[in-house]
Amino acid sequence: MSDTVKLLAFAGAREMIGEAELAFPVARGLTARGLLDAVCARYPRLVPYAGSIRVAINGTYAAWDEPVRAGDEVALIPPVAGG
Amino acid sequence: MDRPTHLDSQGHAHVVDVREKAETHRIAVARARVRTRPEVARAILDGQTPKGDVAAVVRVAAIAGAKRTSDLVPLCHPLPLTHLAAEFAVDPRGVLTIVVRAECVGRTGVEMEAMAGASIGALTAYDMIKGLDREARIEAVELLEKDGGRSGHYLRGAGERIALVDRPIVVDDVLAAVAHPSAGGQVLFLGTVRDHADGQPVTLLEYEAYATMAVAEMGRCVAEVEAQFPGVRLAVTHRVGALQIGDLAVVCAASAPHRGEAFGAARALIDAIKHRVPIWKREHGPDGPYWVDFVDARCTGEEHLHRADRHHFPVGHGHEHHEAKP
């Protein structure tokens, strides 16, 4: 069994993926950028929106080169529109 | 099991021995509220009460009450108070607020002094207005802040200043979270659901949040803006779920010694929240629902960089993201 993160997808990103939450496999040394690319590879419907999606790791916005570790909660954050 | 600290070896109540505790600068702030009718509040503000100046008498009573704490509360130590201050505020809607701050350099906390002062202040306020409103009631005697003891700094409601709710927002609660005696001005921003977006009618909005991060991110926004505007206190409540036109989606409150900081901080807070907090809205317009600002890159050529472009494409062009199929 490979190591996974808990991947959360919200709003439009959730609709493109078709799931709100899933276990997503991560290789050692994977970055936030690498994870988004891997998610897009598995869910091509997300590709046209990928440029506007940010990644949060454990509840905080992540830099693109930030490492993703097994067990992390990783969220795909499409453009926010609160207020 | 250790016996309770306030019982001696025979099980009798005693005033605990605090010789071994460190002498530190201790601060406590307590508040009491008296709820009356708006006409009575107005009479107090206009100086038209039968017993004279309510504010002056209440402040003096609160200070005198705080000094008598160890006489009144059996297991309290007498404390060498270094500072006592009482403030009295009248909300024209009928809420009288007494805030007492007590300080000492000592081995035990001053919260009972602050609480006793607030309580006696509230009793006195009742005495001063009972001729106008015998049904006035004292409510919510509570500790607002305590510092200097082993338990560290305590600030009441620090967690409640930030909230994500799935029911209508109560504006008074948000405002109360920033109320402070040293505030000379309070600013409220109310974000409501409007009936149009980019020239198209909107009939319903659904808000979705990444709840745990949304609360944390709102907290970070509040902390950053408070650091940027010294003396400002901020609070924010955001609502999620289905909202109708005119419903409050977000309420931000700022209090500050002066209006300039209050306006500036309120503006900075709502801007930060809109920019960063992971909350999304799905607008329902004439062409069906769509996630606001979630735009397909294939449809954002140079001439279509405006966010309104989602409305400019005919139905079926890939803009109905909610129902797009691979």
Side-chain angles (χ1 to χ4, degrees), chain B residues 229-309:
Chain B
F229 292 87
V232 164
R233 283 165 70 90
L234 296 170
V236 54
T237 298
H238 205 298
R239 184 175 172 189
V240 290
L243 275 71
Q244 309 287 333
I245 306 305
D247 282 348
L248 289 171
V250 62
V251 175
C252 293
S255 70
H258 306 287
R259 66 184 182 281
E261 299 97 305
F263 276 107
R267 176 67 197 256
L269 179 61
I270 185 61
D271 287 351
I273 285 166
K274 290 181 83 83
H275 181 63
R276 290 164 48 184
V277 175
I279 294 176
W280 301 271
K281 63 183 166 211
R282 198 169 186 238
E283 285 175 354
H284 293 242
D287 301 330
Y290 51 88
W291 289 102
V292 173
D293 289 341
F294 192 57
V295 179
D296 186 330
R298 290 170 299 189
C299 306
T300 49
E302 284 299 311
E303 67 275 34
H304 296 300
L305 280 173
H306 191 263
R307 60 174 272 201
D309 62 359

Side-chain angles (χ1 to χ4, degrees), chain A residues 5 11-12 16 32 39 60 74 80 82:
Chain A
V5 294
M16 292 302 107
V39 174
T60 308
V74 182
V80 301

Side-chain angles (χ1 to χ4, degrees), chain A residues 14 45 49 59 61 73 81 83, chain B residues 207-208 210 276 279 321 324:
Chain A
R14 180 188 65 243
R45 289 174 65 199
Y49 305 95
Y61 286 113
E73 179 176 291
Chain B
Y207 282 86
E208 171 180 330
Y210 177 10
R276 290 164 48 184
I279 294 176
H321 312 305

Side-chain angles (χ1 to χ4, degrees), chain B residues 82-101:
Chain B
T82 56
H83 182 221
L84 264 180
E87 300 194 47
F88 179 71
V90 180
D91 181 325
R93 288 168 294 188
V95 183
L96 317 180
T97 304
I98 299 100
V99 175
V100 176
R101 180 184 182 90

